[in-house]
Amino acid sequence: MLPAPFEYHAPHTTEETLELLDQLGDEGKVLAGGQSLIPLLKLRFASPAHLVDVNRVPGLDVIEERDGVLRIGALFRHKAAERSTMLASRYPVIAEAAGQVADPIVRNRGTVGGSLAHADPAGDWGSVMLALDAEFVLQSKSGRRSVKARDFFSGPFSTALQPNELLTEIRIPAAQGRTGGAYLKLERKVGDFATVAVAVHLQMDDGKVRSAGIGLTAVGAQNLKAEQAEAALRGRPLDDAAINEAAELAAAAAEPKADQRGSEAYKRNVVRVFTQRGLRRARERARGGA
Amino acid sequence: MAIETPLKGFVGESIKRKEDDRFIRGKGNYVDDITLPGMLHMAILRSPFAHARIRSIDASAAQALPGVVAVVTGELLAQHKLAWMPTLSGDTQAVLATDKVRFQGQEVACVIATDPYVARDALPLIEVDYEVLPAVVDPHKALQPDAPLIRDEKEGQTSNHIYHWEAGDKAKTEEAFAKADRVVTLETFYPRCHPSPVETCGIVADVNPATGHATLYLTSQAPHAHRTLFAIVAGLPEQNIRIISPDIGGGFGNKVPIYPGYVVATAASLLIGKPVKWVEDRSENLISTGFARDFHMKGEMAVRNDGRILGLRVKLLSDNGAFYADAQPSKVRAGLFHIVTGSYDVPAAHVEADGAYTNKAPGGVAYRCSFRVTEASYLIERLVETAAIELGKDPADLRIKNFIQPDQFPYKSATGFEYDSGQYEKALRLALEKVGYEDLRKEQAEKRKKGELMGIGIASFTEVVGAGPGKHYDIAGLRMFDSAELRVHPTGKAILKLGVRSQGQGHETTFAQIVAEELGIPAADVEVQEGDTDNTPYGLGTYASRSTPVGGAATAVVSRKLRDKAKKIAAHLLEASDEDIEFDHGKFFVRGSPSKSKTIQDVAFAAYTNLPDGMEAGLEGVTYYDPPNFTFPFGTYLVVVDIDRGTGQVKVRRMVAVDDCGVRINPMIVEGQIHGGLAEGFGIAFMQLITFDEEGNCLGSNFTDYLLPTSWETPKFETYETVTPSPHHPIGAKGIGESATVGSPAAFVNAVIDAVGHLGIKNIDMPVTSDKIWTALQAAGAAE
Amino acid sequence: MGRPITVTVNGEKTSAEVEPRLLLVHFIRERLRLTGTHIGCDTTHCGACTVLFDGVPVKSCTMLAVQADGRQLTTVEALHAGGALHPIQAAFKEEHGLQCGFCTPGMMMSSFALLAENPDPTEEEIRWALSGNICRCTGYMNIVKAVRAAAVQMKEAAAVPAGAATGS
């Protein structure tokens, strides 16, 4: 398994990168962590003529919470997310998901932004971002635009990102009130893609749900946002009845397909069970528990 | 502070491994590490279809790519009568397809290029015109009259049926069933899996155009047998072939067969006159090299209501893929599957086996297993579990009631084996005690009341390892003996050369320990050499747990031969008569006066400097050991699991393993073998699966789909031992490399079934995945 | 076609011209002839090719050689720099943490990075940290033991006062 030939570019600034992407158009492909792209090149499932390696562009790997927004640079690596104490305390869904992406060595290299741009429906970050109601900053030579996570994914490995655009930043509304979150992933072994995973992000006010975000992994053509389940929780105390209702709605929102990982009914049930468990875990965390 | 006596490496001492020093420094020497001047690289074009006729192959564009030296097709090989080769089960296998492709991934053409990247670039430039034919991937369907005929090139082959084979006594078994209170039935499928050592298969073929000498650096578990087969297949004079099996990155049966890539690389080197390297990638390894298992089994057990087993009847259908290439002794057809009566005194048994061709890769290797003993052990241990559930008996009690008793050995089994030794109840009771069985059963009952699922699985396996005897067991006619050559040099240091080949089992250490035990030369002073056919005596190789039973026995016997001569020399040196010389761990002394003694080192020096009159110089010898029987390692594995009713996920809480492999040469290494085997058994039970869609596309073609357990999923193992020496092995040892892979899958599955059996769930076939468990729970109305 | 790169490998600067598609693992194995780094799976699962890239474990079959330009690589061959075995190497031998030896270099590099970050890991933490490296021989039991033993060894060595080791 060896890649076909390609041209390699290693720009040092965002401007240089955008210029290159603009010139190369469909022929160019951005290389971030490369943990999905390079295996695809080796299998020759993808053979772009040009690779634009953004790893030498400074400033793309930052994370900061300011002015009501959590900003995550596109080159922020899974491992950094896994280790961040700020994320663990304020955005547990991110920290918990980060530790379950691929395996520890892949996490050293893989990036949050690269994973989102790759848009594997079994990828973990899409669901997390849907639960967090994130938006993505897409930059091109001609300007920048922001796209909501729910509008970003358009199918398997398919997004709103244009060939001349670079996903530079992820913006997440800063956590407010008592926040909890959880990422429950059923994988057959470490390094496997999810059979099913559920991302939950919860903000509580006076014992009631101020807002709930629920993202679903590997149960549709893209990562899904369980909007009806989210809506059903809003403004309610998070009791068993509310949790069960949301779990049923999340399961109904799932569009799983049977494969070697399991039947449609099985996956739908795991969505239900994980939504229940995820909401309970998030509730504990919002209360200041583990 | 205690003074530590340095270990000499006698039998029973856990000395550290001699081979480790190079591996921990990154200085191992594996096939892919070998680079020769002018070496070319080979890549293989493989069939995208499971079944298709080849109309034409046009390699001109590939041939024209700069850097490409040659493109080899089946047509070219046919000109040299190399398009087909014999298999280890008396069938033929295509080296490169000429008429049809018969499985996805089959070798169609090879590119030889100056650079491995260029060789890959050339593959898509080869144009193959295929006429796609209907494929059959299910052996039951393959045997139906309207199934597409896979082996239409074989004269007289009118169906996909390969063989019919029986063992045991049919009439006596029918009688036993007629007397039974009840017949317990289990239909189960042991799915296709793959050994997947971390190192894939490969070769560097270096045929010298001037001399015709072929040096083949090969990932081979059996270099001598491979040399003979190469001589036969390629028509090369055997003395001109040198196979060097360098360090091997794990074998587990995967490196027993000869693969088409080896043959083409050798032929290419011969034709081009330059060394050719071929190292397969992981996908090639998974889709084309020796798979294992793929047995559809129906077991019936005749039992009395008190739990006594009266008889066993098995029908099995093996799925052998497109070529019958099972790596097995030539006189059997389904390996040693007839060991299926296991650890139990079963008065009557009958096994009926049939094999079918399908459009799948050939293989049937003994994956960490002695020729189908794994499938047999799985079936009997699952059947006993089923019987326990149906009879409402404790599975441990049911086993104890039916075990072959210690005073019954040597025990003649209903299918014709003579078991050498065993203490099955002792091993089981130790496992029960260590796991705290009674408390666990109480806990299980409590949990059940709360609707929680917990299971305790037992497997009390018996293996049959260490083939020969040569009279009954041979590989392609070559008797299954093995060899050891020992040379003791004047300074008392020794070289031991063996016909077996380690792939990680620690031969360089354990075999030196046998010499240490028998001759008293410290293990550190015994250099063990294997793998080079020019430099080692002929042997059949390392697989089926035969190295210690056969190669180890040869080592002990050759050491004793040398000891006998050494005694005579010692008598000469001590001016005593031969009969008065005694020997104890490296010291020869005159009976009654231990102060008058000579060391083995003194004697070795004398063997070259000061000999009795008329004695030949030197202290060297060679032995070819033909074992009188197999050895029969055994043990009990006990697994405790908890099951999540919401997701079907299984958590292995405990895994207790009691193994009895007779005398342990190096307990540390033995334990390491058990750990590894248990982890592979865990993988097989829960995740490792090679499967196919209806069109014959392989759905386990890389590690994304073919799942190997990591440190995170793999349970922690608690290992214990009993010691029942083999009565016929020179040092009482039995094979241990495979017990854990043979015995543990049934223990894992039994644990799951034990957790859900009360709900009416009697069987879940491997791999026991969370979705299968949940689906069964759902059907039983017990899922969350 | 060729692109010049300069990489510091095991402390030594080396320059080469490489095709952009050349995988880092091939650069290490074929160009530098450091064959202790192995190839096991091609799809970023087995970790046999693990090396340290600026001190961080990466799977070198899933990086390009050109990406290493200007960076630091550490391979298994550097562990016994100066001739003495690193405590991790010694512990793998002592605890029988290897059999066929093929996964061992990758395992040791991951262990090295783990202990640099967490000098006193629990068994669970070790199993978690090594879960990107596959071993088919050992069942991981003795690998975990080896890493624990190395941690203890390194801690003890670190506790020796600075002057005590001199002159030995």
Side-chain angles (χ1 to χ4, degrees):
Chain A
M1 287 181 199
L2 307 169
F6 51 78
E7 286 290 314
Y8 173 81
H9 310 268
H12 285 86
T13 63
T14 306
E15 293 67 37
E16 207 186 323
T17 307
L18 299 177
E19 181 63 44
L20 270 165
L21 290 177
D22 201 66
Q23 280 169 24
L24 297 170
D26 284 344
E27 303 252 283
K29 183 87 192 159
V30 174
L31 172 65
Q35 302 299 287
S36 295
L37 179 57
I38 292 178
L40 290 176
L41 298 178
K42 288 168 72 180
L43 293 161
R44 302 200 180 193
F45 290 166
S47 297
H50 298 264
L51 280 194
V52 180
D53 181 353
V54 294
N55 284 284
R56 289 169 204 274
V57 178
L60 282 182
D61 59 351
V62 295
I63 179 164
E64 62 170 350
E65 198 183 22
R66 187 159 51 92
D67 306 331
V69 178
L70 172 69
R71 295 143 57 107
I72 298 177
L75 267 188
F76 193 63
R77 299 191 198 269
H78 309 314
K79 185 65 94 187
E82 187 181 355
R83 284 182 190 159
S84 159
T85 49
M86 185 275 282
L87 290 177
S89 67
R90 300 212 9 102
Y91 304 88
V93 64
I94 298 182
E96 197 162 45
Q100 295 179 76
V101 175
D103 70 44
I105 308 177
V106 171
R107 292 198 286 274
N108 283 334
R109 204 57 213 154
T111 65
V112 178
S115 176
L116 289 168
H118 183 55
D120 189 324
D124 300 298
W125 287 119
S127 305
V128 172
M129 296 308 158
L130 286 165
L132 289 163
D133 213 12
E135 59 182 40
F136 306 139
V137 178
L138 314 183
Q139 252 181 281
S140 70
K141 197 184 162 191
S142 47
R144 64 158 64 194
R145 61 186 180 125
S146 249
V147 179
K148 281 268 191 193
R150 71 162 73 89
D151 301 321
F152 182 72
F153 301 106
S154 52
F157 308 101
S158 167
T159 69
L161 198 63
Q162 296 302 308
N164 68 340
E165 284 180 320
L166 181 69
L167 194 166
T168 53
E169 190 175 280
I170 299 144
R171 297 179 163 212
I172 293 161
Q176 290 181 22
R178 286 191 161 275
T179 310
Y183 191 72
L184 280 77
K185 179 174 179 177
L186 192 149
E187 58 182 7
R188 299 171 299 177
K189 55 164 282 190
V190 170
D192 188 22
F193 282 101
T195 297
V196 171
V198 175
V200 172
H201 178 61
L202 199 60
Q203 304 192 75
M204 303 290 287
D205 258 348
D206 290 335
K208 285 186 183 159
V209 176
R210 174 193 180 119
S211 78
I214 299 173
L216 311 179
T217 304
V219 287
Q222 62 204 58
N223 293 123
L224 301 175
K225 188 167 171 67
E227 296 190 40
Q228 289 191 335
E230 293 173 351
L233 291 169
R234 212 165 294 137
R236 277 172 76 178
L238 198 57
D239 53 19
D240 281 355
I243 286 174
N244 290 341
E245 189 187 330
E248 294 291 348
L249 287 168
E255 301 159 5
K257 285 211 166 70
D259 59 17
Q260 271 193 277
R261 289 178 168 83
S263 67
E264 188 251 320
Y266 172 64
K267 292 180 182 181
R268 198 179 290 284
N269 189 65
V270 176
V271 171
R272 186 182 61 80
V273 169
F274 276 6
T275 305
Q276 281 175 348
R277 294 178 187 176
L279 284 167
R280 288 200 192 103
R281 194 185 291 176
R283 182 178 61 189
E284 284 308 303
R285 286 180 174 150
R287 281 175 185 156
Chain B
M1 196 172 134
I3 296 166
E4 274 188 44
T5 322
L7 295 177
K8 290 261 174 73
F10 297 137
V11 164
E13 292 178 357
S14 288
I15 58 167
K16 305 309 169 194
R17 297 202 326 165
K18 299 167 71 169
E19 40 273 86
D20 288 354
D21 291 328
R22 60 181 187 274
F23 295 137
I24 55 177
R25 289 174 170 84
K27 295 292 181 196
N29 185 38
Y30 303 90
V31 166
D32 197 21
D33 298 340
I34 293 163
T35 294
L36 300 177
M39 189 173 79
L40 302 173
H41 299 267
M42 188 174 97
I44 300 182
L45 180 72
R46 295 175 179 277
S47 168
F49 303 111
H51 200 191
R53 195 162 296 286
I54 296 176
R55 289 204 192 102
S56 65
I57 299 177
D58 179 357
S60 52
Q63 191 83 60
L65 188 74
V68 170
V69 176
V71 179
V72 183
T73 61
E75 199 181 333
L76 178 71
L77 289 184
Q79 290 165 19
H80 299 270
K81 298 198 163 38
L82 281 175
W84 291 82
M85 63 179 182
T87 72
L88 291 177
S89 282
D91 194 5
T92 51
Q93 175 177 354
V95 177
L96 291 179
T98 47
D99 53 341
K100 286 203 304 190
V101 288
R102 293 172 171 83
F103 68 92
Q104 185 188 50
Q106 190 179 335
E107 299 79 2
V108 174
C110 293
V111 172
I112 321 289
T114 51
D115 176 285
Y117 285 71
V118 173
R120 299 281 163 154
D121 292 343
L123 294 181
L125 302 177
I126 301 173
E127 283 181 33
V128 185
D129 185 8
Y130 291 105
E131 175 195 344
V132 179
L133 303 170
V136 58
V137 294
D138 176 335
H140 299 96
K141 287 183 186 161
L143 292 181
Q144 284 167 13
D146 58 342
L149 183 62
I150 296 167
R151 298 299 300 278
D152 51 346
E153 94 292 353
K154 280 186 90 173
E155 219 168 295
Q157 183 80 37
T158 55
S159 75
N160 293 319
H161 185 259
I162 306 174
Y163 69 87
H164 177 81
W165 189 68
E166 294 184 26
D169 187 328
K170 190 170 188 176
K172 206 173 152 197
T173 306
E174 297 305 325
E175 279 170 38
F177 272 77
K179 279 185 262 168
D181 292 331
R182 172 195 286 265
V183 174
V184 177
T185 304
L186 177 72
E187 273 193 71
T188 184
F189 172 46
Y190 204 130
R192 180 174 279 233
C193 51
H194 193 282
S196 288
V198 182
E199 180 202 33
T200 59
C201 300
I203 184 173
V204 177
D206 182 16
V207 186
N208 185 321
T211 64
H213 277 77
T215 306
L216 311 179
Y217 303 88
L218 191 66
T219 47
S220 171
Q221 296 181 220
H224 292 278
H226 282 171
R227 182 183 57 175
T228 302
L229 294 171
F230 258 96
I232 293 167
V233 172
L236 295 170
E238 195 167 356
Q239 79 279 13
N240 285 0
I241 306 173
R242 179 183 186 186
I243 291 190
I244 298 176
S245 180
D247 287 325
I248 300 195
F252 317 119
N254 188 230
K255 291 161 183 170
V256 169
I258 289 183
Y259 295 119
Y262 301 164
V263 178
V264 183
T266 306
S269 177
L270 180 70
L271 295 173
I272 299 167
K274 286 188 174 174
V276 174
K277 177 188 269 190
W278 170 65
V279 176
E280 62 182 4
D281 63 33
R282 179 55 59 184
S283 174
E284 297 183 280
N285 177 253
L286 286 169
I287 64 176
S288 73
T289 67
F291 76 91
R293 327 295 192 232
D294 220 345
F295 262 30
H296 298 259
M297 304 180 282
K298 182 182 180 187
E300 292 173 292
M301 192 184 262
V303 291
R304 279 198 322 237
N305 281 335
D306 67 356
R308 185 76 183 88
I309 302 169
L310 302 178
L312 179 67
R313 192 158 59 194
V314 181
K315 279 201 176 165
L316 73 87
L317 175 60
S318 64
D319 181 341
N320 299 86
F323 309 101
Y324 182 36
D326 280 34
Q328 62 182 346
S330 71
K331 293 188 184 76
V332 294
R333 298 288 78 188
L336 305 176
F337 182 84
H338 47 308
I339 192 72
V340 67
T341 53
S343 308
Y344 309 101
D345 183 14
V346 181
H350 185 245
V351 176
E352 236 178 299
D354 289 273
Y357 289 121
T358 57
N359 290 113
K360 292 150 83 170
V365 298
Y367 166 17
R368 213 166 179 158
C369 154
S370 182
F371 312 118
R372 306 293 189 178
V373 60
T374 309
E375 292 89 326
S377 176
Y378 181 76
L379 182 64
I380 184 71
E381 289 305 312
R382 288 285 301 113
L383 260 173
V384 170
E385 174 74 20
T386 309
I389 292 172
E390 289 193 15
L391 293 166
K393 297 203 178 293
D394 182 282
D397 292 342
L398 191 67
R399 284 177 168 83
I400 289 167
K401 192 177 184 71
N402 286 287
F403 277 148
I404 300 163
Q405 296 301 306
D407 61 5
Q408 287 178 278
F409 293 94
Y411 172 83
K412 186 103 177 155
S413 86
T415 56
F417 289 103
E418 189 178 290
Y419 291 34
D420 66 346
S421 58
Q423 299 187 73
Y424 303 145
E425 185 174 337
K426 188 177 169 189
L428 172 60
R429 289 207 184 273
L430 181 60
L432 296 175
E433 176 206 320
K434 293 298 180 187
V435 83
Y437 188 68
E438 283 180 21
D439 288 346
L440 285 170
R441 284 289 176 209
K442 279 180 206 148
E443 183 192 342
Q444 183 186 39
E446 289 301 312
K447 288 222 150 104
R448 263 188 203 168
K449 281 183 209 156
K450 292 187 276 181
E452 292 172 28
L453 300 175
M454 167 195 164
I456 307 155
I458 306 173
S460 293
F461 66 94
T462 286
E463 274 196 285
V464 50
V465 309
K471 192 161 67 168
H472 302 301
Y473 297 96
D474 63 80
I475 297 286
L478 302 165
R479 284 189 168 207
M480 297 185 77
F481 62 86
D482 233 291
S483 61
E485 181 186 324
L486 183 58
R487 299 179 182 177
V488 181
H489 305 312
T491 56
K493 319 281 180 183
I495 292 184
L496 175 71
K497 296 159 180 271
L498 297 166
V500 292
R501 180 58 182 125
S502 177
Q503 309 122 42
Q505 293 90 335
H507 291 183
E508 287 169 49
T509 307
T510 48
F511 289 96
Q513 288 186 257
I514 296 175
V515 174
E517 178 71 24
E518 297 293 336
L519 272 181
I521 300 171
D525 292 345
V526 182
E527 157 91 2
V528 176
Q529 298 183 350
E530 298 179 338
D532 180 345
T533 56
D534 269 13
N535 189 34
T536 52
Y538 204 101
L540 271 287
T542 294
Y543 43 87
S545 290
R546 62 188 302 280
S547 293
T548 293
V550 194
T555 302
V557 170
V558 76
S559 300
R560 288 172 191 180
K561 268 191 200 172
L562 266 55
R563 194 169 71 199
D564 289 343
K565 180 172 180 180
K567 252 188 191 175
K568 293 196 175 85
I569 299 172
H572 165 71
L573 296 177
L574 294 165
E575 295 173 339
S577 80
D578 298 358
E579 299 80 58
D580 291 339
I581 300 296
E582 299 215 333
F583 175 79
D584 183 33
H585 286 95
K587 235 173 167 181
F588 296 88
F589 55 93
V590 180
R591 186 173 302 121
S593 44
S595 59
K596 257 188 106 180
S597 70
K598 291 287 173 189
T599 63
I600 181 69
Q601 290 79 9
D602 298 334
V603 172
F605 193 68
Y608 297 86
T609 58
N610 177 13
L611 286 158
D613 286 343
M615 184 183 277
E616 276 186 25
L619 193 56
E620 301 188 354
V622 59
T623 286
Y624 295 82
Y625 184 83
D626 188 349
N629 190 6
F630 292 103
T631 65
F632 294 74
F634 63 91
T636 288
Y637 297 150
L638 231 151
V639 171
V640 185
V641 299
D642 297 289
I643 294 175
D644 182 330
R645 286 172 49 229
T647 62
Q649 285 170 293
V650 177
K651 175 82 192 151
V652 175
R653 193 203 301 181
R654 301 272 305 275
M655 173 24 142
V656 169
V658 176
D659 274 276
D660 191 323
C661 59
V663 171
R664 296 186 171 202
I665 299 163
N666 182 319
M668 173 192 84
I669 289 177
V670 168
E671 194 180 51
Q673 291 293 303
I674 295 164
H675 289 159
L678 292 173
E680 290 195 17
F682 169 78
I684 292 165
F686 292 112
M687 57 180 82
Q688 294 177 209
L689 173 71
I690 302 272
T691 189
F692 298 81
D693 68 13
E694 285 287 306
E695 276 95 53
N697 297 304
C698 180
L699 305 178
S701 63
N702 58 51
F703 286 167
T704 309
D705 298 315
Y706 188 67
L707 308 175
L708 302 177
T710 74
S711 52
W712 187 246
E713 301 81 44
T714 303
K716 291 163 203 167
F717 306 125
E718 305 162 47
T719 51
Y720 301 95
E721 66 177 310
T722 60
V723 178
T724 309
S726 167
H728 64 76
H729 187 276
I731 59 168
K734 302 179 176 183
I736 189 57
E738 302 168 336
S739 290
T741 313
V742 169
S744 66
F748 289 115
V749 177
N750 283 345
V752 171
I753 298 302
D754 186 72
V756 299
H758 65 291
L759 302 168
I761 300 167
K762 285 189 183 162
N763 184 42
I764 299 173
D765 278 340
M766 296 186 291
V768 181
T769 53
S770 55
D771 60 304
K772 283 190 200 167
I773 294 173
W774 182 84
T775 303
L777 289 174
Q778 173 78 353
E784 178 190 323
Chain C
M1 275 249 288
R3 193 182 167 95
I5 59 169
T6 300
V7 190
T8 304
V9 183
N10 299 336
E12 260 181 60
K13 244 187 192 176
T14 173
S15 295
E17 208 164 275
V18 298
E19 227 191 317
R21 65 167 163 167
L22 183 72
L23 298 171
L24 181 57
V25 70
H26 287 135
F27 176 70
I28 293 167
R29 286 179 52 79
E30 308 299 335
R31 292 294 190 87
L32 305 178
R33 295 303 299 156
L34 294 170
T35 54
T37 302
H38 299 143
I39 301 172
C41 77
D42 313 293
T43 53
T44 327
H45 285 93
C46 79
C49 63
T50 303
V51 300
L52 305 185
F53 184 87
D54 285 346
V56 175
V58 298
K59 299 191 181 184
S60 62
C61 79
T62 310
M63 285 194 68
L64 306 170
V66 284
Q67 292 184 282
D69 186 23
R71 310 291 184 143
Q72 305 261 351
L73 289 181
T74 313
T75 70
V76 64
E77 285 86 354
L79 282 185
H80 57 285
L85 287 182
H86 188 276
I88 291 172
Q89 292 173 301
F92 267 68
K93 175 173 178 175
E94 193 64 25
E95 302 298 335
H96 190 28
L98 67 148
Q99 291 181 24
C100 80
F102 203 77
C103 77
T104 311
M107 275 299 173
M108 292 195 302
M109 297 318 282
S110 286
S111 304
F112 183 91
L114 167 68
L115 294 182
E117 190 186 323
N118 179 0
D120 191 21
T122 62
E123 178 172 346
E124 296 291 288
E125 286 168 338
I126 295 168
R127 283 181 176 268
W128 186 246
L130 297 184
S131 61
N133 296 80
I134 287 173
C135 171
R136 297 287 288 154
C137 295
T138 64
Y140 305 105
M141 289 288 292
N142 290 342
I143 291 177
V144 175
K145 246 165 116 181
V147 178
R148 265 309 306 161
V152 170
Q153 191 66 43
M154 288 164 73
K155 216 168 152 188
E156 280 172 9
V160 175
T166 56
S168 64

